[in-house]
Amino acid sequence: MSRWKFGRFGVSLAAAAALTMAGTACSANDGGSDDSAGSGEITLVVGDQVKSTQTLLESAGELSDLPYKIRWATFEAGPPLLEAAAAGKVDVGSTGDVPALFAQSAGSPLKIIAILAGSTANDFLLVPAGSPIRSVGELKGKRIAFTKGSSSNGLVLALLDQAGLEPGDVTETYLTPNEGLAAFNAGQIDAWAVWNPYAVIAQQQSKARVLADGTGLTTQQGYYLASDAALGDKAKNAALSDFVGRVTRAQRWAVHNKDKWVPIFSRLTTLPEPVAAATFDTSAREIVPIDAERIAKQQKLIDLFSGAGVIPNKPDATEYFDDEFNPVVEENRS
């Protein structure tokens, strides 16, 4: 596994996935996979980001007595996972909202079958501790860094729109998280949009100040998506139903057993436990039923990217949600 070095922290690429898949545009690492034992003939190929879903299910005791087999396909981020799913190499996997948006824009044969929702934002707009900037409007003409196609890309667009600014009113600088942290610490950018754990690391290393976050602006949602082919296969559809129930219980277990999950999450990401805890506090999500309000949040995000010219079209979000597993979610949420 590749490793990014941040000062005294050694933060693995797994941290970028951070349980709820922030959705950075990194390359895939699908060279290896492993099977979870099951009693059935059916094999469900599950796209995972650096074993985060697999580890969660194992920790919650949800990989026992499977009526099918799971073959895990490991990726470093959401976009390549969805590309593999669209190509028929993955049956189901989870990503953030922005990778799903690009898949929707491309007309990929995928459907959102479950929503991961939280009450807090996991993307932050940071400025240096000594910066005189106190509002997003004051960033006009300034240099803002973020990872293109990431959830923080969505945060920047939403904040600029709220402040009455156009993307052209600022200098957008596309940097990966490790590049962004280095540039921020070196004073080469005026503001940096990024998710945890990077935001909390920047606050600890350079006393970065949070200028704004995505509360009330971004969807604060992640998604489990399945391929149309898997949904249309009777046996795999039944396996997907069971899988949704298991991840629903596992996500709920993690949220309500932070003391047990955070040490595991720390080992998984190689983050120091205090950083892992701070990251989990802002990235914790539970699976909720698909409804019109949740779909509308994704549509708003689509409209934002379309209006800014980042995507060439404006897909109808409703066409990419499949609520057939809502009863399973409802049954396993309590």
Side-chain angles (χ1 to χ4, degrees):
M1 182 181 295
S2 61
R3 191 175 295 274
W4 296 337
K5 295 295 185 181
F6 294 144
R8 70 179 188 276
F9 296 116
V11 182
S12 74
L13 189 57
L19 181 65
T20 54
M21 293 67 63
T24 58
C26 303
S27 61
N29 176 21
D30 55 352
S33 61
D34 55 273
D35 291 335
S36 291
S39 60
E41 297 287 332
I42 297 299
T43 297
L44 200 62
V45 183
V46 180
D48 199 3
Q49 295 190 44
V50 239
K51 294 193 174 182
S52 56
T53 300
Q54 182 179 4
T55 304
L56 174 66
L57 288 170
E58 287 176 348
S59 301
E62 291 292 345
L63 286 183
S64 60
D65 301 321
L66 285 169
Y68 49 88
K69 292 183 179 180
I70 291 179
R71 180 163 65 85
W72 298 95
T74 302
F75 299 83
E76 290 179 344
L81 188 161
L82 294 185
E83 289 173 9
K89 297 179 181 179
V90 166
D91 295 317
V92 63
S94 57
T95 77
D97 52 3
V98 174
L101 176 152
F102 279 96
Q104 291 162 349
S105 176
S108 299
L110 306 170
K111 296 292 186 297
I112 293 170
I113 61 170
I115 296 174
L116 286 156
S119 58
T120 57
N122 192 43
D123 289 273
F124 307 87
L125 184 63
L126 307 176
V127 294
S131 172
I133 295 171
R134 296 291 169 179
S135 70
V136 174
E138 295 174 54
L139 287 171
K140 186 173 183 179
K142 304 296 185 181
R143 179 173 293 183
I144 303 177
F146 56 88
T147 302
K148 188 176 184 179
S150 71
S151 54
S152 289
N153 192 162
L155 172 65
V156 170
L157 290 177
L159 288 172
L160 292 176
D161 182 68
Q162 185 185 55
L165 297 178
E166 300 290 337
D169 290 331
V170 300
T171 300
E172 296 181 335
T173 304
Y174 305 138
L175 298 175
T176 60
N178 56 323
E179 293 169 341
L181 183 60
F184 187 83
N185 286 341
Q188 297 171 347
I189 52 180
D190 299 296
W192 180 34
V194 74
W195 53 91
N196 273 333
Y198 305 103
V200 70
I201 291 172
Q203 291 174 75
Q204 291 184 359
Q205 281 190 359
S206 57
K207 306 302 180 184
R209 174 164 51 86
V210 176
L211 184 67
D213 63 32
T215 303
L217 290 176
T218 58
T219 69
Q220 297 171 209
Q221 296 177 170
Y223 304 118
Y224 275 91
L225 297 96
S227 70
D228 287 353
L231 287 166
D233 181 286
K234 185 176 180 180
K236 284 196 172 183
N237 187 287
L240 285 170
S241 179
D242 178 84
F243 180 77
V244 167
R246 291 172 188 269
V247 294
T248 299
R249 294 192 298 269
Q251 290 286 161
R252 184 170 178 79
W253 172 84
V255 169
H256 293 277
N257 292 274
K258 178 182 173 181
D259 59 328
K260 296 178 182 178
W261 172 241
V262 166
I264 298 169
F265 181 58
S266 175
R267 291 194 296 272
L268 175 67
T269 60
T270 72
L271 289 169
E273 198 162 314
V275 178
T279 299
F280 183 70
D281 285 343
T282 59
S283 65
R285 301 285 187 266
E286 288 196 48
I287 293 182
V288 300
I290 294 170
D291 60 23
E293 180 181 356
R294 300 291 180 182
I295 295 173
K297 289 186 176 185
Q298 185 69 4
Q299 186 65 58
K300 184 178 179 180
L301 185 68
I302 290 171
D303 295 347
L304 193 63
F305 272 72
S306 177
V310 180
I311 57 174
N313 52 7
K314 189 186 291 187
D316 181 355
T318 59
E319 296 179 3
Y320 295 92
F321 284 81
D322 184 338
D323 65 1
E324 66 178 292
F325 301 120
N326 271 3
V328 177
V329 172
E330 292 279 18
E331 180 182 350
N332 289 281
R333 273 171 53 81
S334 57

